[in-house]
Amino acid sequence: MMKWIVWLFFTYPVAAQLTVYTIDGCSRCNYIVSRLRQNNIQFVECNTSQSQSCDNAFNKVVAHLNEENFTMPLITDGKKIWYNITSLSNLIDEIVQEYKEKKIGGASPQENLKSVNPYKNITPKGFSDEEMNQAYFILEKATYLSEEEKKVIYFCNLARLNGKVFADAIVKPYAEKYPTSNSAYVKSLIADLLKTGTLAVYRPSESLSKAAKYHAEDMGKNGLIGHKSSNGKSFFERISLFHRGNMSAENCSYGVYDPMEIVVYLLIDEGIESKGHRNNILNRNYSFIGVGIAPHSVYGTNCVMDFSDTE
């Protein structure tokens, strides 16, 4: 599928300004919105899932196109429409350059977009710029997360975006570094990553992160492990104090400091017959994640991930 640009000759209410039509749960939409903001492009985000007026405006725009199915986002400046976009990174480069040349939309000189992602230098080779950017830029505004907590989500997202590269570039070197890892679990993880396909990236949730941080601090202070709080509350009782969701799950790790290794350790899930930690990270039914990392009085550090289908 290729990117189409259609020239229109109807009057659009927001002249000389981009409108980005998005939907809930769309990682491609989140990436475009984040990158436009990064480059000071003036635009209007119109979420068709949350606004009837946006949905109505979207239907008017697509009425000019001879298409039935669209891969979101859809972008228009009143004269052109970008839709079914193949390369999000290339489109951003194109829009930034166009706005710089026309000196409209508030664009200011910026360094090349591909060098903006600060996690690129900690990412093993093999992932595309677009995959790295999708994994990272969804985290930009999550100021309630530490850098280490953001990196945990970043590597979870890389596993969801490209399982094959994650297996080759991250899991296999990890297994060589820690040869005591059970080869059967490593082999099953590689098989799962190869058949997972491409999943939507996790979006950070402040309420889930509060729940995760609370549990990490509680376990660390009291030298405990597991999903039950020191006051006896179960995981579901505890998380309901912070977050409301139809589906929720939790991962905990102890004694692992490096964010990438935390994710790989939980994905391998050695000794866990159900592979519950792995399934949580690769679960297509979960869209939101919260992470909390805190010191642990016995194991040095512990990391808690909380997952849900709702924000």
Side-chain angles (χ1 to χ4, degrees), residues 46-218:
C46 221
N47 188 318
T48 60
S49 300
Q50 300 181 11
S51 167
Q52 186 60 53
S53 61
C54 283
D55 191 48
N56 293 339
F58 172 79
N59 288 329
K60 289 181 181 179
V61 173
V62 300
H64 294 265
L65 306 175
N66 187 26
E67 293 280 344
E68 294 183 359
N69 299 312
F70 296 91
T71 300
M72 297 294 271
L74 182 145
I75 306 170
T76 180
D77 64 359
K79 293 183 178 180
K80 291 188 290 186
I81 297 177
W82 293 268
Y83 67 102
N84 290 346
I85 304 161
T86 303
S87 174
L88 301 181
S89 295
N90 288 346
L91 176 61
I92 289 292
D93 286 335
E94 178 183 330
I95 291 175
V96 170
Q97 186 61 38
E98 181 176 320
Y99 271 57
K100 285 179 182 177
E101 291 174 355
K102 293 182 179 180
K103 300 187 183 335
I104 61 174
S108 60
Q110 300 269 340
E111 62 180 314
N112 188 288
L113 287 175
K114 294 178 181 178
S115 65
V116 172
N117 182 347
Y119 293 171
K120 183 175 181 179
N121 63 350
I122 64 167
T123 307
K125 293 181 179 180
F127 295 98
S128 68
D129 287 319
E130 187 166 323
E131 287 165 343
M132 288 186 285
N133 288 342
Q134 283 191 58
Y136 169 73
F137 286 112
I138 194 73
L139 306 171
E140 259 191 325
K141 292 191 173 182
T143 56
Y144 48 86
L145 293 170
S146 69
E147 284 301 312
E148 298 304 285
E149 290 162 351
K150 285 183 180 180
K151 289 174 185 176
V152 167
I153 301 176
Y154 175 73
F155 285 107
C156 285
N157 283 340
L158 288 181
R160 291 169 68 88
L161 286 168
N162 194 328
K164 183 181 186 306
V165 173
F166 195 93
D168 291 339
I170 296 179
V171 175
K172 291 178 181 178
Y174 176 93
E176 292 177 2
K177 182 179 179 181
Y178 300 103
T180 55
S181 295
N182 189 308
S183 61
Y185 283 90
V186 172
K187 288 179 180 178
S188 71
L189 169 58
I190 292 173
D192 285 346
L193 287 169
L194 292 178
K195 69 183 180 183
T196 295
T198 301
L199 303 176
V201 295
Y202 274 123
R203 299 171 63 183
S205 163
E206 186 169 8
S207 59
L208 287 172
S209 294
K210 287 180 179 179
K213 192 74 170 180
Y214 173 88
H215 191 56
E217 291 176 347
D218 181 34

Side-chain angles (χ1 to χ4, degrees), residues 17-22 28-46 73-76 82 85 88-97 99 105-108 110 113 137 140-141:
Q17 181 165 284
L18 288 177
T19 298
V20 181
Y21 289 97
T22 64
R28 290 163 52 88
C29 302
N30 295 332
Y31 171 76
I32 285 287
V33 167
S34 176
R35 300 314 305 126
L36 290 174
R37 287 174 178 155
Q38 180 76 27
N39 283 272
N40 298 324
I41 301 292
Q42 294 178 6
F43 72 98
V44 173
E45 180 183 1
C46 221
L74 182 145
I75 306 170
T76 180
W82 293 268
I85 304 161
L88 301 181
S89 295
N90 288 346
L91 176 61
I92 289 292
D93 286 335
E94 178 183 330
I95 291 175
V96 170
Q97 186 61 38
Y99 271 57
S108 60
Q110 300 269 340
L113 287 175
F137 286 112
E140 259 191 325
K141 292 191 173 182

